[in-house]
Amino acid sequence: MERPSVSENSGETVIKEGRASVIYPSANQVFYNPVQEFNRDLTCAVITEFARMQLLQKGIKILVPDEREEQKVVIHLAEEKEDPVQPALEDQPTSNELRTAGVEEPCPDGLRVLEGLAASGLRSIRFAREVPGLHSIIANDFSASAVELIKRNIQFNGVENLVTASYSDARMLMYSRRETRERFDVIDLDPYGSPSMFLDAAVQSVSEGGLLCVTCTDMAVMAGNSGETCYSKYGAMSIKSKFCHEMALRILLHSLDLRSNCYQRYIVPLLCVSADFYIRVFVRVFTGQAKVKLSASKQALVYNCVGCGTYHVQRMGRATSQGNHTKFSPGTGPPVGMNCEFCHQKHQMGGPLWAEALHDNDFVGRVLSALERNPKRFRTSDRIQGVLSMVTEELTDVPLYYTLDNLSSVIHCSTPPLLQFRSALLHAGYRVSLSHACKQAVKTDAPASVIWDVMRCWEKQNPVKREKLSETSPAFHVLSKEPSLQACFDVREDANPKSRKLGLKRFQENPEANWGPKARAKAGGVIVPTLEEKRKQHQNKRKTSPGAENCFKNFPCKKFKQGNCDLGEKCCYAHIPAPAEPEKRPSPHEAPPSS
């Protein structure tokens, strides 16, 4: 079959990303955001390692283009004294006994993939051309124009043997594949906005141990701007806080686990990241009634002080092992009083949210190892390496984090250097790490009392003018107490994490002007102006419109009405005298005033 051609005058353009070339119309019929190339690259890397892990159990070895043979992992496993994975690896067939599976060719025992909201089909085509070991891919969309474009792009890239276009409601398509033999091994959901309406169908139609990849771009809702909307979509209350990006990840995981529990299923996170203007989670879904009973102990409420930002985590349930028997009981609390013990302000309550680990460090290490063997596979390889390196350094058993700028702003002092603050916590005997979700984040198992003692000691070295502090301010209450811990700020060698030492690219640099979420695709191909054009249309109207300097004269001056406008003729508003109030005449039913 001949590939469709693209004429210069058709108003279409060809975008190349990875090994795929995709046709896009100039009209905004189909959504595309180049900034999310990192999202798509990371997804290809994760699914590749998932396919390698799943197919190796079936005696199939995947072949990734331009990837060097794996050698270091064998040495690493030999050095381990006790590795629970080692016996399973010994049972695997040798390299000579393994079958092979490459890219762009269907694998009979490979993974079945669904992209529920495919738009142009770019992601599905990249899967077909870059991820080996796939059985089939369904690129689905509920827009007729999008499906027609998907079909053209499938032909344009020559992947008809792997990718099939589908016109259907993603929920109905997933509900129709709930039977065990028809389930998908990988489901990718990347909607415009919230994926909440698709989660129930997704957790039912993914296979046993299958991979669920979900993107959320409604960060305003998940970061606390609309807690009631977050609750209606995800079953959890979001709060405005400095740790809002990690809290968004944990709210999404809570929602996935809660909906899985309805069908005696549960989730195991492989990798969860907060990047740019969205969050992305990769979780496996399993079935097991005994493990589902543990879900309550994996969720927690958060009490966050509105004054100083101190937070406390309260588990929803408890699971206590007694020999071969596990006893389940409700959590006890709350862990705080009516007012914060440090600044005497009130608490906000958020959650429930996922309180367990966000990542599987063993799996993340596999992705990093594959990236080192093929460093030129993705255009964003440097950033993937930096973000995943930070992920492996994070404390897995510490939910949420503090930020240095917020701690210092509470007591109105200068911000302590990152290495000195981390060193002070390490000297005190506590663990500490950074977070990929925020540059100024500090994750630690130190209690809040120790953190504020460190800040009090730092304030003594960098004193603030306490006479200017209000007696009701959080700073006054925090600093009025003497520290019980004498912090040592001498920089330690282990205070600087490896990813920071190597200068890895850990956070996004602005790729282009006005980058961020793009406009939603419009039915019928309506051309939507760019963000810059919108700003020109809607902002600075009074400054740029003709006669703007006199437009305020059409409005009366409020200060003049009150009798206290001292600008006189220089006032840009109109000084219109108030109309005289008419004399009130007595009603015939009222008695005349007494003389």
Side-chain angles (χ1 to χ4, degrees), residues 333-345:
V336 295
M338 291 295 295
N339 297 319
C340 176
E341 61 178 306
F342 304 104
C343 69
H344 302 174
Q345 300 290 323

Side-chain angles (χ1 to χ4, degrees), residues 214-216 219 222 245 248-249 252 273-274 277-281:
V214 183
T215 301
C216 290
M219 290 302 294
M222 304 197 73
H245 290 100
L249 283 171
L252 178 57
V273 296
S274 171
F277 53 87
Y278 59 89
I279 57 175
R280 179 73 163 168
V281 300

